[in-house]
Amino acid sequence: MAKVKKLPRSIFQRILGIPATKPPRDPASFSYSAGKLTVDLSRAAELDVPGGALRCEGGGLPVRVLVVRDDKGGFKAYRNRCTHIGRRRLDPVPGEGTVQCCSVNSTTFGMDGKTICGPGKHPLTLYPVTKEGGKLIIDLHNA
Ligand code: FES
């Protein structure tokens, strides 16, 4: 198997589970209502570039969601919770086509959510994403 690239994070960040993806610069970049998470792309500068990610938490959301712009310009939405016991947050690894746990063990998943390596053996939960004009609509009904 090809070597998996780790995001450059300090051991302290890994031990404390501090993800590289910071909270949104614009708290109004997303909203939640009736099972749907809506991301306003005009306010979510984090998603302007491939490999970018938006952390959606709070605001009534039933789960933490990480929205990632993949290396081909498409969008994916993951439950932002590693499937390993620590349940830490995730980060995209730009240019690698992977999503990685921020913890010391760094379980790494493909963009399809399947485990590539690490102790988180179960796949990530992905939510359906629809692009409508300048907005992403993410269906969390099964969250
Ligand atoms: S919590 Fe993700 S590898 Fe342990």
Side-chain angles (χ1 to χ4, degrees):
M1 185 201 304
K3 192 162 167 31
V4 169
K5 181 179 171 188
K6 273 197 181 189
L7 272 180
R9 310 289 294 154
S10 74
I11 188 64
F12 300 105
Q13 290 169 322
R14 293 258 176 217
I15 289 170
L16 295 172
I18 300 171
T21 307
K22 295 184 171 43
R25 281 175 243 163
D26 182 347
S29 56
F30 73 91
S31 59
Y32 175 74
S33 175
K36 290 194 174 173
L37 167 61
T38 301
V39 174
D40 182 345
L41 292 171
S42 71
R43 304 186 81 143
E46 292 90 337
L47 296 173
D48 284 351
V49 291
L54 186 71
R55 238 172 90 180
C56 302
E57 300 174 13
L61 276 169
V63 291
R64 300 188 308 236
V65 178
L66 185 71
V67 182
V68 175
R69 182 157 178 188
D70 67 25
D71 293 329
K72 294 176 184 150
F75 296 95
K76 299 261 193 296
Y78 303 89
R79 183 172 191 187
N80 195 359
R81 187 172 115 139
C82 179
T83 59
H84 187 223
I85 195 162
R87 310 294 188 221
R88 294 281 169 92
R89 290 178 174 84
L90 307 161
D91 291 306
V93 186
E96 295 294 303
T98 58
V99 176
Q100 191 168 79
C101 176
C102 65
S103 78
V104 174
N105 286 310
S106 313
T107 294
T108 302
F109 305 87
M111 296 304 283
D112 60 0
K114 291 184 184 150
T115 303
I116 295 172
C117 71
K121 298 298 178 203
H122 297 290
L124 297 174
T125 300
L126 275 146
Y127 301 110
V129 181
T130 309
K131 190 164 184 282
E132 294 179 9
K135 296 192 179 355
L136 300 178
I137 311 295
I138 299 161
D139 186 349
L140 300 181
H141 278 104
N142 293 323

